[in-house]
Amino acid sequence: MRKTLKQLMALKNMQKLAMVTAYDAWMATMADEAVDIILVGDSLGMVVQGQSSTLPVTLDEMIYHTKMVSRASSNAFLVMDLPFLSYQTSVKDALRNAGRCLKETMAQMVKLEGGTRVLPQIKALSDSGIPIMGHLGLTPQSIHSIGSYVKQAKTKKEADLLINEALQVEKAGASMIVLENIPHDLAKIVTNELKIQTIGIGAGPSCDGQVQVFHDLLGLYPNFSPRHAVNFLKLGKKIQKAIRQYAEKVRMDELISE
Ligand code: KIV
């Protein structure tokens, strides 16, 4: 039985939530029994598709990947990202597209980025029974206005704005919120102020849960690891070595297989 939103929300101040991204059936199989939440993030644009940002990812692509993850998991609560321009354009678009996500993939919640500017969308989705995960701080879909993937809300004014936006996102109906790449003390304040759970990435240890990108967690890219990544394995280097060994055996005519 998949975990439910109600079960997870009841864990605030009792147990931290572990969330990881997954983008296909194999990844889902690897993660499903260990974590509370699987996120099919639009980070797939960068780590799977090789794009330089998450902006090109389409709704159809998100649905395609989430279907694979959904088929191969049965324990973790399943969340998917609404990609760039699938909800910012209007409340109507947000409803139609989030509705498609739940209908076609069996995801249990959608995540969208932003504060004040998407409050009407959050309210409309929540009023329609579609659970929402908010996302504040470093919001990669706004990379061209932010400029680079650096720590956000470092000044007092920006921090106050973020606290206020988090409270509004909660009030509009979000049930959880990702805090990405913000100062640790700010994440602690937001976590204490909100009744809903905060899930941090590069936001320090005080959040109600943590999220990592699958490839970062396992070190799948041999020469790249973001600062906030927690590498439990350096798997990329091992995979490269294994494939190099295979190629050498082929070239030396030493490959033995049935
Ligand atoms: O797209 C994604 O994977 C995300 C997480 C990093 C929170 O938004």
Side-chain angles (χ1 to χ4, degrees):
M1 270 285 284
R2 267 195 204 283
K3 293 180 195 288
T4 65
L5 180 58
K6 214 170 163 187
Q7 286 168 343
L8 295 183
M9 289 181 80
L11 296 176
K12 172 113 184 170
N13 297 325
M14 290 172 63
Q15 191 182 304
K16 299 231 174 182
L17 301 178
M19 171 159 121
V20 71
T21 66
Y23 315 108
D24 66 23
W26 176 77
M27 291 171 159
T29 307
M30 293 293 109
D32 189 41
E33 53 93 27
V35 296
D36 301 296
I37 307 174
I38 292 179
L39 168 68
V40 185
D42 61 357
S43 50
L44 69 85
M46 298 173 84
V47 295
V48 177
Q49 298 177 338
Q51 314 265 15
S52 60
S53 77
T54 60
L55 272 67
V57 178
T58 67
L59 183 66
D60 285 341
E61 288 166 349
M62 287 305 304
I63 289 176
Y64 171 76
H65 284 276
T66 309
K67 277 181 176 172
M68 293 189 244
V69 171
S70 172
R71 262 180 234 130
S73 56
S74 57
N75 168 62
F77 187 71
L78 184 57
V79 184
M80 69 182 285
D81 262 331
L82 287 177
F84 181 60
L85 282 197
S86 67
Y87 61 94
Q88 292 95 336
T89 39
S90 68
V91 166
K92 204 169 156 190
D93 286 349
L95 270 173
R96 192 186 311 281
N97 291 329
R100 251 195 90 190
C101 290
L102 265 55
K103 254 173 130 66
E104 295 180 29
T105 70
M106 311 307 282
Q108 294 158 290
M109 175 181 253
V110 292
K111 176 164 83 57
L112 51 80
E113 297 181 6
T116 318
R117 64 178 190 268
V118 290
L119 290 178
Q121 283 88 334
I122 295 176
K123 178 150 183 15
L125 292 177
S126 149
D127 287 350
S128 307
I130 300 178
I132 317 295
M133 182 176 279
H135 186 156
L136 291 176
L138 177 59
T139 48
Q141 290 177 16
S142 308
I143 189 60
H144 296 310
S145 40
I146 297 171
S148 61
Y149 296 95
V150 291
K151 189 95 43 212
Q152 300 296 301
K154 286 197 288 199
T155 67
K156 165 96 173 74
K157 193 169 161 205
E158 289 163 348
D160 287 346
L161 182 67
L162 190 138
I163 295 168
N164 186 39
E165 289 207 303
L167 286 164
Q168 289 193 57
V169 165
E170 174 179 71
K171 193 165 166 220
S175 305
M176 288 182 191
I177 186 164
V178 166
L179 300 176
E180 180 165 353
N181 223 352
I182 62 169
H184 298 187
D185 51 352
L186 174 58
K188 187 173 183 180
I189 295 171
V190 175
T191 302
N192 291 338
E193 290 277 325
L194 296 187
K195 291 182 205 69
I196 62 174
Q197 279 127 319
T198 60
I199 314 280
I201 175 163
S206 303
C207 295
D208 296 304
Q210 297 289 332
V211 55
Q212 285 282 308
V213 168
F214 193 95
H215 293 61
D216 299 342
L217 186 64
L218 302 176
L220 291 187
Y221 277 108
N223 300 317
F224 174 74
S225 174
R227 283 185 60 171
H228 57 252
V230 190
N231 271 170
F232 278 84
L233 271 179
K234 299 220 183 311
L235 206 51
K237 280 198 196 311
K238 292 197 178 110
I239 293 173
Q240 274 185 326
K241 190 173 164 201
I243 297 176
R244 222 179 286 126
Q245 283 172 346
Y246 158 74
E248 275 162 21
K249 292 255 179 231
V250 172
R251 287 185 199 114
M252 291 168 75
D253 219 5
E254 283 177 1
L255 190 75
I256 299 165
S257 71
E258 291 301 314

